[in-house]
Structures are given as C-alpha cells and as structure tokens.
Amino acid sequence: MNTTKTKVCSGCESSFSCGDISAEEKCWCNDFPPIFNLSDGGDCLCPVCFKEACEDKIDAYVETLTPEKAINNKAATLPKTEKLIEGIDYYIENEKYVFKSWFHLKRGSCCENGCRHCPY
C-alpha cells in the first residue's frame, strides 16, 4: 500500500516524498500537530517548510492566550501525536530539554513545577 508521491514544496520548490508508505508507516507529516486544514492554502509543504509553518502558527496561537484562556485551550483537545518535535514541543539549552508552551498546552494543565514556558 505505498501511496507516496514525489511533490514539489509550494514554499521552497524543493522535491520531497509525501504520503503513507504502508498501513503501519504513515506519512512524516502525521508526526506533527493536526493544526492545519487542507483549505489553509497551497499543496503540501516539505518537512522543513511544514515545520516552520507549524511553529509560526503555534507561536501566534500561544501569544493570544492568557492563563485563564489556557485552561480551555485547543491543543488539549487535539488528537495526540506520539513524537515530540524539537522547535515545537521543546528546544535544547545547555544539553537540557526545555519544554515550550505548546507541550504544556497539549498536557492540558499545570504540573506545578514552575516551568519556564508554562502558559497556566
């Protein structure tokens, strides 16, 4: 059931593979948060451009939140993704993982550990 296609990124015009490899091995984009509608414009983006678009959209959303709004945020209700993505869920500083606001929003509540990017 290989349904992969070679596509051209609508952002940078590079070629990339898009689609499910098998029923068990889904397209790389399934590792990302499901925050885009197909109607958000253009065709598929390559992994680099797609990650940048996700980061931009998430950062814009996080900027609109107050601690009161964070309690009922959209991220907590999205289908869960298995993998953490550097730049979206965390970044590395001094060889330590620093979880970003999106990671905390997906969890849905404050862990009471005084996290640097806690939106709650």
Side-chain angles (χ1 to χ4, degrees), residues 10 37-45:
S10 60
N37 295 327
L38 293 176
S39 63
D40 279 352
D43 197 2
C44 292
L45 296 171

Side-chain angles (χ1 to χ4, degrees), residues 60-112:
Y61 174 68
V62 167
E63 287 180 18
T64 68
L65 295 177
T66 62
E68 296 78 26
K69 287 182 182 178
I71 293 170
N72 295 315
N73 78 86
K74 295 177 186 178
T77 62
L78 291 173
K80 303 302 180 206
T81 53
E82 292 185 20
K83 296 181 181 177
L84 296 180
I85 301 171
E86 186 172 358
I88 292 177
D89 295 302
Y90 69 93
Y91 58 91
I92 298 175
E93 180 179 275
N94 299 322
E95 299 180 19
K96 295 184 179 168
Y97 285 73
V98 179
F99 293 105
K100 296 180 73 175
S101 296
W102 184 253
F103 173 85
H104 298 293
L105 290 169
K106 289 191 311 182
R107 186 179 54 237
S109 63
C110 179
C111 64
E112 304 292 329

Side-chain angles (χ1 to χ4, degrees), residues 26-38:
K26 299 292 184 185
C27 184
W28 57 266
C29 68
N30 285 298
D31 292 335
F32 285 83
I35 58 172
F36 290 101
N37 295 327
L38 293 176

